[in-house]
Amino acid sequence: MLLGVYDNPDTVLEATENLIKSGYDIKDVYTPFAVHGLDRVMGIKRTRLSTAAFVFAMIGIASALTLMIYTSVVDWQMNIGGKPSFHIPTYIPITFELGILFTAFGMVSCFFIVNRMFWGRVTDVIDIRVTDDTFVIAVNVHEKTDVKALENSLISNGAIEVRERINEI
Amino acid sequence: MYESPIREKLILGGKTYHDISSDICRPLENKASKGWWIGFTLSAIVLAVWIYATTYTMLVGIGAWGLNKTVGWAFDITNFVFWVGIGHAGTLISAVLLLFRQKWRMSINRSAEAMTIFAVICAASFIVSHMGRPWVAYWPIPLPNAFGSLWVNFNSPLVWDVFAISTYFSVSLVFWYVGLIPDIATIRDRATTKLRKFMYNYFSMGWNGSTRAWHRYEMISLILAGISTPLVLSVHSIVSMDFATSLVPGWHTTIFPPYFVAGAIFSGFGMVLTLLVVGRVVLKQEEYITLEHLDAMARIVMLTGTMVGLAYITEFFVAAYSGVEYEQYAFINRATGPYWWAYWTMMSCNLLAPQVFWIKWARSTPWFLFVMSIIVNIGMWFERFVIIVTSLHRDFLPSSWTMYAPTITEVSILIGSFGLFFTLYFLFVRYLPTINMTELKSILVLKDSKHSHDKSEKGEAHHG
């Protein structure tokens, strides 16, 4: 794996675009902040986390309604001030709140799972400066790859440094 | 083509990406300053007052307070609504302003969200202590029980409130933590001591800045903002329904939900100003939290203050127009009865005082903003006091009319809750970055950059 180190988000965006056009297999680009357009250039498919969020919202709404209807209609009806036990308008606030609660926790848990993030994970950063001010393009090197040409195109696209990395991340 | 600059630059001083990391991490990487120790110690002493007064209340019971059979809710719920309201500005800044793409939020959202979480903790403490028997505080939760399967009453706004406040607290915490992860990773990679490396590595969850992770991160941030926006509106609406669904004149008004939400944003921005006007100087962040930021917050304070004022006047109009004499009396009594001073404190602090922000000088002079922010806080505390106490103290039967005055215990709990809040805030300033570094880096315009990757919303002058 060959790493091109850059110091500017614009350069890294152009470099990624050019390298992909030249047919190189880019593993990932590591940036200190979300560089807009980079995901599009790399051809990353739109994440399905938004669908997950919707599903969790529906689960939350269904659980809230089930809870309220079961407890106050099926299991034990209470007469408080002569008001009806089964009254959908007064169920709205809690249904809404539980919908939000399930969405937030469900979606964020899915986010951690797909990113393989967990507390205490041993971090393998590609370059220690990548969380500060450095942008790194990681290009997979295959048997057929012309390493010299790849190195040149990384540099000609503005890399301040080119390094090799043996281990997979 | 020449684009005129709409706004001043959001970050001054010609910073680089590395400068942002170093400047924001400085307070938590260096030894704590003398100022921090003084502030932390003072807060901790006031926190001790809170612990003492709350413990005393729990041992003695609600009899330690000045409540009577006419005024059964007073200081406790005033303080609860006050603190919950303060929390709302944090969510407003981080969620609503994100949806409106207001980039100036990025320098202030982290500390405002921290404020939200700590304020909700303070608010929750009042809920627990006002129960009288805090060891049965789990009763509003629908748990299977041995009281003849007695479930909670889902028609009651107090039960809605339990769900609203706990959802609000936990979702705010998640939103805050997700926003912190990349910054925690920055501190982890800058760490020089073993302990710091270990702790920040633990909480960074292995964040490595991969574009795939960023892509998902942007999506969940957007959705969290999208769900937090209706959440924050719902929470204070539900808090207002605790009053509005009752039959007490002065409480039973349909205007309450929007009026409470506007008031919450107003008071929250007051507190954000209190914290940041001081914080930006002490933490040397004037180049990140610029006068332009303070100006923008002052405008929101003025807008929401005027909205709240409009609500006060509307309430009067509706009472007069309704023809209900109890309703009319409740409002006349508010303005001219024995608690007139509280009413006029509220009116002058919330409606009149913020009007000075029509003047540019008032919006951009830090010491004056600090004074104003305190006035706003006082005014909003009195708003809740006026709504709660003046509506209750003269009820339908003149024979039960009475006055309410807080005891020393109640005042100690209120003052002590500021100790709880500031102790948590000082710890936050010491251990976590008070400004979102990654977001700031994304809006930074480098000096030598030919063009920025996100030019449309920068408010920068572009030549080309």
Side-chain angles (χ1 to χ4, degrees), chain A residues 50-163:
Chain A
S50 49
T51 317
F54 180 76
V55 172
F56 282 110
M58 291 303 125
I59 296 174
I61 288 171
S63 322
L65 285 175
T66 313
L67 170 78
M68 285 185 282
I69 292 171
Y70 171 72
T71 54
S72 43
V73 182
V74 180
D75 189 45
W76 196 279
Q77 291 208 9
M78 286 181 293
N79 185 342
I80 296 165
K83 288 179 181 143
S85 298
F86 184 66
H87 193 227
I88 291 291
T90 57
Y91 291 173
I92 291 173
I94 292 179
T95 312
F96 174 79
E97 301 297 335
L98 286 187
I100 299 275
L101 187 72
F102 276 60
T103 312
F105 276 80
M107 179 183 66
V108 172
S109 309
C110 284
F111 168 75
F112 290 148
I113 292 166
V114 287
N115 278 346
R116 292 175 184 77
M117 288 164 75
F118 51 87
W119 283 309
R121 179 178 167 174
V122 181
T123 312
D124 185 8
V125 273
I126 201 111
D127 186 309
I128 198 117
R129 296 164 299 174
V130 94
T131 50
D132 181 11
D133 60 350
T134 304
F135 306 78
V136 176
I137 303 183
V139 188
N140 282 329
V141 177
H142 302 292
E143 279 171 22
K144 278 184 254 162
T145 314
D146 182 354
V147 179
K148 204 70 210 160
L150 172 58
E151 204 176 322
N152 285 336
S153 58
L154 282 171
I155 291 171
S156 66
N157 275 303
I160 51 168
E161 193 181 311
V162 174
R163 280 188 292 122

Side-chain angles (χ1 to χ4, degrees), chain A residues 9-10 27-31 33 36 39 47 71 75 78 80 84 90 97 115 118-120 123 125 131-132, chain B residues 17-18 21 151 154-155 177 186 188-189 201-202 205 209-212 214-216 218 231 234 441 451:
Chain A
D10 302 330
K27 178 172 173 57
D28 213 333
V29 183
Y30 298 88
T31 57
F33 54 85
H36 291 279
D39 43 358
T47 168
T71 54
D75 189 45
M78 286 181 293
I80 296 165
T90 57
E97 301 297 335
N115 278 346
F118 51 87
W119 283 309
T123 312
V125 273
T131 50
D132 181 11
Chain B
Y17 296 129
H18 184 67
S21 314
W151 296 102
F154 287 110
N155 291 338
Y177 181 61
T186 303
R188 170 198 72 201
D189 293 341
N201 179 51
Y202 187 86
M205 301 178 94
S210 134
T211 298
R212 282 167 225 284
W214 275 120
H215 170 77
R216 298 179 189 120
E218 295 267 282
L231 176 66
S234 82
K441 286 174 189 169
H451 63 288

